[in-house]
């Protein structure tokens, strides 16, 4: 695969690298919510006025929402990184029966025929999903975070980036097949 395409794919994986650091705050929020729930307390910190996203207080319910948001970010952006590094779910017993050229053809066709349309559908419908959450000021009904549209916006955004990465990978694979380069490294 040409070096400039590898660099473009590495750039698309940067959000996943940054999001991977959210594992530490995820662990901290889990521990804090367990301790506060065991103590029978709900409010960690309260303040006068309203702060964007958090509202009027940081509660155990806010921590639960934060945990789900972080988990969603890890899954959505981590999927992009795993596709680039070829660490996604695959049918290995079939792939092992194929030669390198055939595996590259399957990868390219899979990216173009299955991955791209799926990503386009999710990105397209995800924007309206996000827009409705923004227009209606959707938030937690249980005293959690106030702005659900932020996390909902990650769905179409991450799938758009995943589709772009799939397109770049398919182009790079086509170039490899044209040149006769049968290596499967995309990093």
């Amino acid at each position: 695969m040409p070096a400039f395409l590898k660099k473009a794919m590495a750039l698309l994986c940067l959000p996943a690298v940054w999001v991977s650091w959210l594992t530490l705050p995820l662990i901290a929020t889990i521990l804090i919510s367990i301790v506060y729930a065991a103590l029978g307390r709900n409010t960690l910190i309260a303040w006068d006025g309203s702060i964007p996203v958090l509202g009027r207080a940081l509660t155990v319910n806010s921590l639960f929402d934060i945990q789900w948001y972080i988990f969603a970010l890890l899954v959505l952006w981590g999927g992009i990184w795993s596709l680039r590094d070829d660490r996604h779910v695959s049918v290995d017993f079939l792939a092992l029966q194929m030669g390198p050229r055939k595996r590259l053809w399957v990868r390219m066709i899979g990216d173009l025929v299955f991955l791209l349309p799926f990503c386009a559908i999710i990105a397209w419908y995800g924007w309206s999903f996000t827009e409705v959450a923004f227009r209606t000021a959707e938030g937690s009904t249980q005293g959690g975070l106030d702005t659900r549209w932020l996390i909902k916006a990650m769905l179409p955004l991450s799938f758009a980036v995943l589709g772009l990465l799939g397109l770049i990978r398919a182009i790079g694979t086509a170039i490899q097949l044209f040149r006769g380069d049968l290596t499967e490294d995309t990093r």
Side-chain angles (χ1 to χ4, degrees):
M1 179 162 304
F4 75 95
L5 291 178
K6 286 183 181 182
K7 287 181 182 179
M9 291 193 327
L11 185 65
L12 291 175
C13 287
L14 274 181
V17 174
W18 299 329
V19 164
S20 70
W21 284 98
L22 291 177
T23 305
L24 299 174
L26 175 62
I27 293 167
T29 59
I30 291 169
L31 292 174
I32 292 168
S33 62
I34 289 170
V35 169
Y36 268 74
L39 294 174
R41 297 187 60 201
N42 186 40
T43 304
L44 281 70
I45 304 168
W47 48 81
D48 294 330
S50 183
I51 295 177
V53 180
L54 294 175
R56 298 184 161 282
L58 182 63
T59 65
V60 171
N61 291 339
S62 302
L63 292 181
F64 289 152
D65 282 355
I66 290 169
Q67 291 165 24
W68 280 106
Y69 286 19
I70 291 173
F71 183 71
L73 291 171
L74 289 169
V75 170
L76 290 170
W77 294 101
I80 297 165
W81 196 358
S82 67
L83 181 70
R84 194 254 346 231
D85 289 353
D86 207 22
R87 300 287 182 237
H88 55 86
V89 176
S90 62
V91 187
D92 289 334
F93 76 95
L94 291 176
L96 292 173
Q97 305 297 325
M98 300 177 201
R101 177 175 296 283
K102 194 170 189 178
R103 274 196 304 271
L104 287 172
W105 272 102
V106 168
R107 181 172 80 184
M108 182 180 67
I109 291 168
D111 287 347
L112 293 173
V113 173
F114 298 109
L115 181 66
L116 282 179
F118 180 73
C119 289
I121 290 168
I122 298 297
W124 178 263
Y125 286 105
W127 284 120
S128 60
F129 180 63
T130 303
E131 182 189 17
V132 168
F134 181 76
R135 267 190 296 108
T136 60
E138 183 182 353
S140 175
T141 57
Q142 305 297 320
L145 301 180
D146 284 345
T147 50
R148 279 245 170 100
W149 67 269
L150 282 172
I151 194 64
K152 288 185 176 187
M154 291 300 113
L155 187 69
L157 184 61
S158 64
F159 272 88
V161 171
L162 179 63
L164 183 58
L165 185 119
L167 179 63
I168 290 171
R169 192 171 85 150
I171 291 168
T173 303
I175 292 170
Q176 280 182 263
L177 287 167
F178 180 74
R179 290 180 178 169
D181 175 13
L182 301 180
T183 61
E184 296 181 47
D185 184 31
T186 55
R187 288 185 269 166

